Amino acid sequence: MSAPESTTPFSIATWNVNSLKVRLPHLLEWLAEANPTVVCLQETKLEDHAFPTAEIEAAGYQVAFAGQKTYNGVAIVSRLPLADVVVGNPRFDDPQKRLISATVAAPDGDVRVVGAYFPNGQAVGSDKYAYKLQWLTALHDWLADELASHPRLALCGDYNIAPEDADVHDPVAWAGQILCSDPERQAFRDLIALGLVDAYRLFPQAERSFSWWDYRNLGFQKNLGLRIDHVLLSAPLAARCTAARIERHLRKKERPSDHAPVIATLG
DNA sequence: ATGCCCAATTGCATTGGA
């Protein structure tokens, strides 16, 4: 037990970086500072040939990624070996790069990590909203099978869903709006019903805790945010979870992402 | 009532994000 990873507990995180090209320095700083074991990234916005593999490997992490130009793009970076990488949902033919899964060889057993960039949906009733709901249904149905074959599973990502009013800075203004509509929240509950647990809510948290703040209108400075980035753990992993937090300070850096990382520690 | 910011594109405005 002298490996470096044994000195810090296993932890798993998610972060929508809103362009990995711009945010690579932030990521490298945060990896060194917080030493997460696994990080799921969203909105890398890089084609695979442009992924900064060498820089991230130099920081002591392995990488798996699936990207495209301009939009979307997901990745998993891990201090521990990654295996069995799967891109996308085999039940949902989707040209948009929004899903990547891999098995991480954790000290006490394998963990299946699913990194997800859920569709935004743009506006309730729009074509993009219909796509979001279809995507959510397909994710749910696929995950039911994945959980059966991988009981130790974490679903980490930018869900683009604020599950409860407590996750919204102004629940009245957002009522029924995109990210907060009943069908979206029901889809979130349907994921929970598969046996997943919202790691952040396992612990007491400050009121008005958010993971995203609009770039406009001094959204961060006024804490006008939403909690839409989540780490969901299957029961065997939730039983081992000892802490969860939002890395709010990353939103204060120069040229920040509009999202902050969420990290859960498994003791 | 609406935009406000940020990133990317083959750009000199538009789209998407949330």
Short mmCIF file of all heavy atoms in Angstrom, two decimals, chain B residues 7-18:
data_model
loop_
_atom_site.label_atom_id
_atom_site.label_comp_id
_atom_site.label_asym_id
_atom_site.label_seq_id
_atom_site.Cartn_x
_atom_site.Cartn_y
_atom_site.Cartn_z
P DA B 7 -14.27 32.19 -22.76
OP1 DA B 7 -13.46 31.42 -21.82
OP2 DA B 7 -13.78 33.45 -23.34
"O5'" DA B 7 -14.71 31.24 -23.95
"C5'" DA B 7 -15.27 29.97 -23.65
"C4'" DA B 7 -15.63 29.27 -24.94
"O4'" DA B 7 -16.82 29.90 -25.49
"C3'" DA B 7 -14.56 29.34 -26.03
"O3'" DA B 7 -14.31 28.02 -26.49
"C2'" DA B 7 -15.17 30.22 -27.12
"C1'" DA B 7 -16.67 30.07 -26.88
N9 DA B 7 -17.45 31.24 -27.26
C8 DA B 7 -17.18 32.55 -26.96
N7 DA B 7 -18.07 33.39 -27.43
C5 DA B 7 -18.99 32.57 -28.07
C6 DA B 7 -20.18 32.86 -28.77
N6 DA B 7 -20.66 34.10 -28.93
N1 DA B 7 -20.86 31.82 -29.29
C2 DA B 7 -20.37 30.59 -29.12
N3 DA B 7 -19.27 30.20 -28.48
C4 DA B 7 -18.62 31.25 -27.97
P DA B 8 -13.14 27.79 -27.58
OP1 DA B 8 -12.56 26.46 -27.32
OP2 DA B 8 -12.28 28.99 -27.64
"O5'" DA B 8 -13.97 27.71 -28.94
"C5'" DA B 8 -14.96 26.69 -29.07
"C4'" DA B 8 -15.66 26.86 -30.41
"O4'" DA B 8 -16.50 28.02 -30.35
"C3'" DA B 8 -14.70 27.05 -31.59
"O3'" DA B 8 -14.97 26.07 -32.58
"C2'" DA B 8 -14.99 28.45 -32.10
"C1'" DA B 8 -16.40 28.72 -31.58
N9 DA B 8 -16.64 30.13 -31.31
C8 DA B 8 -15.84 31.01 -30.62
N7 DA B 8 -16.33 32.23 -30.55
C5 DA B 8 -17.53 32.14 -31.24
C6 DA B 8 -18.53 33.10 -31.53
N6 DA B 8 -18.46 34.37 -31.14
N1 DA B 8 -19.60 32.70 -32.24
C2 DA B 8 -19.65 31.41 -32.62
N3 DA B 8 -18.79 30.42 -32.41
C4 DA B 8 -17.73 30.86 -31.71
P DT B 9 -14.00 25.91 -33.85
OP1 DT B 9 -13.95 24.48 -34.15
OP2 DT B 9 -12.75 26.68 -33.60
"O5'" DT B 9 -14.82 26.65 -35.01
"C5'" DT B 9 -16.15 26.23 -35.29
"C4'" DT B 9 -16.79 27.19 -36.27
"O4'" DT B 9 -17.10 28.44 -35.61
"C3'" DT B 9 -15.93 27.54 -37.49
"O3'" DT B 9 -16.70 27.44 -38.67
"C2'" DT B 9 -15.53 28.99 -37.24
"C1'" DT B 9 -16.74 29.50 -36.48
N1 DT B 9 -16.51 30.71 -35.66
C2 DT B 9 -17.46 31.71 -35.67
O2 DT B 9 -18.49 31.65 -36.31
N3 DT B 9 -17.15 32.80 -34.89
C4 DT B 9 -16.02 32.97 -34.12
O4 DT B 9 -15.86 33.98 -33.46
C5 DT B 9 -15.06 31.89 -34.16
C7 DT B 9 -13.79 31.97 -33.37
C6 DT B 9 -15.35 30.82 -34.92
P DT B 10 -15.97 26.70 -39.93
OP1 DT B 10 -16.99 25.72 -40.44
OP2 DT B 10 -14.63 26.26 -39.53
"O5'" DT B 10 -15.80 27.86 -41.02
"C5'" DT B 10 -16.84 28.77 -41.29
"C4'" DT B 10 -16.24 30.16 -41.54
"O4'" DT B 10 -15.10 30.32 -40.69
"C3'" DT B 10 -15.75 30.36 -42.98
"O3'" DT B 10 -16.26 31.58 -43.56
"C2'" DT B 10 -14.22 30.33 -42.88
"C1'" DT B 10 -14.01 30.82 -41.45
N1 DT B 10 -12.74 30.31 -40.83
C2 DT B 10 -11.82 31.20 -40.37
O2 DT B 10 -11.99 32.42 -40.43
N3 DT B 10 -10.70 30.64 -39.83
C4 DT B 10 -10.40 29.29 -39.69
O4 DT B 10 -9.35 28.92 -39.18
C5 DT B 10 -11.41 28.38 -40.20
C7 DT B 10 -11.19 26.91 -40.12
C6 DT B 10 -12.51 28.93 -40.73
P DG B 11 -15.93 33.11 -42.78
OP1 DG B 11 -15.84 34.10 -43.83
OP2 DG B 11 -14.87 33.12 -41.75
"O5'" DG B 11 -17.34 33.25 -42.07
"C5'" DG B 11 -17.54 32.95 -40.68
"C4'" DG B 11 -17.86 34.25 -39.91
"O4'" DG B 11 -17.07 34.30 -38.71
"C3'" DG B 11 -17.52 35.51 -40.69
"O3'" DG B 11 -18.62 36.40 -40.65
"C2'" DG B 11 -16.29 36.10 -40.02
"C1'" DG B 11 -16.42 35.55 -38.60
N9 DG B 11 -15.13 35.31 -37.96
C8 DG B 11 -14.36 34.18 -38.00
N7 DG B 11 -13.27 34.27 -37.31
C5 DG B 11 -13.31 35.55 -36.78
C6 DG B 11 -12.39 36.23 -35.94
O6 DG B 11 -11.34 35.82 -35.50
N1 DG B 11 -12.83 37.50 -35.64
C2 DG B 11 -14.00 38.06 -36.07
N2 DG B 11 -14.26 39.30 -35.70
N3 DG B 11 -14.87 37.45 -36.85
C4 DG B 11 -14.45 36.21 -37.16
P DC B 12 -18.73 37.45 -41.79
OP1 DC B 12 -20.14 37.39 -42.18
OP2 DC B 12 -17.66 37.31 -42.80
"O5'" DC B 12 -18.47 38.78 -40.98
"C5'" DC B 12 -18.88 38.85 -39.61
"C4'" DC B 12 -18.25 40.05 -38.97
"O4'" DC B 12 -16.85 39.86 -38.80
"C3'" DC B 12 -18.44 41.33 -39.79
"O3'" DC B 12 -18.84 42.37 -38.93
"C2'" DC B 12 -17.06 41.57 -40.40
"C1'" DC B 12 -16.12 40.92 -39.40
N1 DC B 12 -14.92 40.29 -40.02
C2 DC B 12 -13.64 40.59 -39.54
O2 DC B 12 -13.54 41.42 -38.63
N3 DC B 12 -12.57 39.98 -40.09
C4 DC B 12 -12.73 39.09 -41.07
N4 DC B 12 -11.63 38.51 -41.57
C5 DC B 12 -14.01 38.76 -41.58
C6 DC B 12 -15.07 39.38 -41.04
P DA B 13 -20.29 42.69 -38.90
OP1 DA B 13 -20.77 42.95 -40.27
OP2 DA B 13 -20.36 43.71 -37.84
"O5'" DA B 13 -21.06 41.40 -38.39
"C5'" DA B 13 -22.47 41.47 -38.28
"C4'" DA B 13 -23.05 40.10 -38.48
"O4'" DA B 13 -22.07 39.07 -38.24
"C3'" DA B 13 -24.21 39.82 -37.52
"O3'" DA B 13 -25.20 39.08 -38.20
"C2'" DA B 13 -23.55 39.03 -36.39
"C1'" DA B 13 -22.42 38.29 -37.10
N9 DA B 13 -21.25 38.16 -36.23
C8 DA B 13 -20.64 39.15 -35.52
N7 DA B 13 -19.61 38.73 -34.82
C5 DA B 13 -19.54 37.38 -35.09
C6 DA B 13 -18.66 36.37 -34.65
N6 DA B 13 -17.66 36.58 -33.81
N1 DA B 13 -18.87 35.12 -35.12
C2 DA B 13 -19.88 34.91 -35.97
N3 DA B 13 -20.77 35.78 -36.45
C4 DA B 13 -20.54 37.01 -35.96
P DT B 14 -26.53 38.72 -37.41
OP1 DT B 14 -27.63 38.79 -38.36
OP2 DT B 14 -26.55 39.48 -36.14
"O5'" DT B 14 -26.27 37.19 -37.06
"C5'" DT B 14 -25.93 36.28 -38.10
"C4'" DT B 14 -25.62 34.92 -37.51
"O4'" DT B 14 -24.37 34.98 -36.80
"C3'" DT B 14 -26.67 34.42 -36.51
"O3'" DT B 14 -27.19 33.18 -36.96
"C2'" DT B 14 -25.90 34.23 -35.20
"C1'" DT B 14 -24.45 34.14 -35.66
N1 DT B 14 -23.47 34.63 -34.65
C2 DT B 14 -22.47 33.78 -34.22
O2 DT B 14 -22.35 32.64 -34.63
N3 DT B 14 -21.62 34.32 -33.30
C4 DT B 14 -21.66 35.60 -32.76
O4 DT B 14 -20.84 35.96 -31.95
C5 DT B 14 -22.74 36.43 -33.26
C7 DT B 14 -22.88 37.81 -32.75
C6 DT B 14 -23.58 35.92 -34.17
P DT B 15 -28.45 32.56 -36.23
OP1 DT B 15 -29.30 32.01 -37.29
OP2 DT B 15 -28.99 33.54 -35.25
"O5'" DT B 15 -27.84 31.35 -35.39
"C5'" DT B 15 -26.90 30.48 -35.99
"C4'" DT B 15 -26.31 29.59 -34.93
"O4'" DT B 15 -25.28 30.32 -34.21
"C3'" DT B 15 -27.31 29.11 -33.88
"O3'" DT B 15 -27.26 27.70 -33.80
"C2'" DT B 15 -26.87 29.78 -32.58
"C1'" DT B 15 -25.39 30.03 -32.84
N1 DT B 15 -24.82 31.19 -32.11
C2 DT B 15 -23.62 31.04 -31.45
O2 DT B 15 -23.02 30.00 -31.42
N3 DT B 15 -23.17 32.18 -30.82
C4 DT B 15 -23.78 33.41 -30.77
O4 DT B 15 -23.27 34.35 -30.18
C5 DT B 15 -25.03 33.50 -31.49
C7 DT B 15 -25.78 34.80 -31.50
C6 DT B 15 -25.48 32.40 -32.11
P DG B 16 -28.40 26.89 -32.97
OP1 DG B 16 -28.59 25.62 -33.68
OP2 DG B 16 -29.54 27.77 -32.67
"O5'" DG B 16 -27.68 26.58 -31.59
"C5'" DG B 16 -26.45 25.86 -31.60
"C4'" DG B 16 -25.90 25.86 -30.20
"O4'" DG B 16 -25.36 27.16 -29.91
"C3'" DG B 16 -26.93 25.56 -29.12
"O3'" DG B 16 -26.48 24.42 -28.39
"C2'" DG B 16 -26.99 26.83 -28.27
"C1'" DG B 16 -25.65 27.49 -28.57
N9 DG B 16 -25.64 28.95 -28.48
C8 DG B 16 -26.57 29.82 -28.98
N7 DG B 16 -26.28 31.08 -28.75
C5 DG B 16 -25.08 31.03 -28.04
C6 DG B 16 -24.27 32.07 -27.52
O6 DG B 16 -24.47 33.29 -27.57
N1 DG B 16 -23.14 31.58 -26.88
C2 DG B 16 -22.82 30.25 -26.77
N2 DG B 16 -21.70 29.96 -26.13
N3 DG B 16 -23.56 29.27 -27.25
C4 DG B 16 -24.67 29.72 -27.88
P DG B 17 -27.35 23.79 -27.19
OP1 DG B 17 -27.07 22.35 -27.22
OP2 DG B 17 -28.73 24.29 -27.22
"O5'" DG B 17 -26.62 24.42 -25.95
"C5'" DG B 17 -25.23 24.29 -25.79
"C4'" DG B 17 -24.75 25.19 -24.70
"O4'" DG B 17 -24.87 26.56 -25.13
"C3'" DG B 17 -25.55 25.09 -23.39
"O3'" DG B 17 -24.66 24.92 -22.32
"C2'" DG B 17 -26.24 26.44 -23.27
"C1'" DG B 17 -25.24 27.33 -24.00
N9 DG B 17 -25.77 28.62 -24.42
C8 DG B 17 -26.89 28.88 -25.16
N7 DG B 17 -27.11 30.16 -25.36
C5 DG B 17 -26.04 30.77 -24.70
C6 DG B 17 -25.73 32.16 -24.57
O6 DG B 17 -26.34 33.13 -25.01
N1 DG B 17 -24.57 32.35 -23.82
C2 DG B 17 -23.82 31.33 -23.29
N2 DG B 17 -22.73 31.69 -22.60
N3 DG B 17 -24.09 30.04 -23.40
C4 DG B 17 -25.22 29.85 -24.12
P DA B 18 -25.04 23.87 -21.10
OP1 DA B 18 -23.83 23.48 -20.40
OP2 DA B 18 -25.96 22.85 -21.64
"O5'" DA B 18 -25.91 24.85 -20.20
"C5'" DA B 18 -25.25 25.86 -19.45
"C4'" DA B 18 -26.26 26.67 -18.69
"O4'" DA B 18 -27.00 27.50 -19.60
"C3'" DA B 18 -27.29 25.86 -17.92
"O3'" DA B 18 -27.52 26.48 -16.66
"C2'" DA B 18 -28.55 25.96 -18.78
"C1'" DA B 18 -28.41 27.34 -19.38
N9 DA B 18 -29.05 27.51 -20.67
C8 DA B 18 -29.14 26.60 -21.70
N7 DA B 18 -29.77 27.04 -22.76
C5 DA B 18 -30.11 28.35 -22.40
C6 DA B 18 -30.79 29.36 -23.08
N6 DA B 18 -31.27 29.23 -24.32
N1 DA B 18 -30.96 30.54 -22.45
C2 DA B 18 -30.48 30.68 -21.20
N3 DA B 18 -29.83 29.79 -20.46
C4 DA B 18 -29.68 28.64 -21.13
#
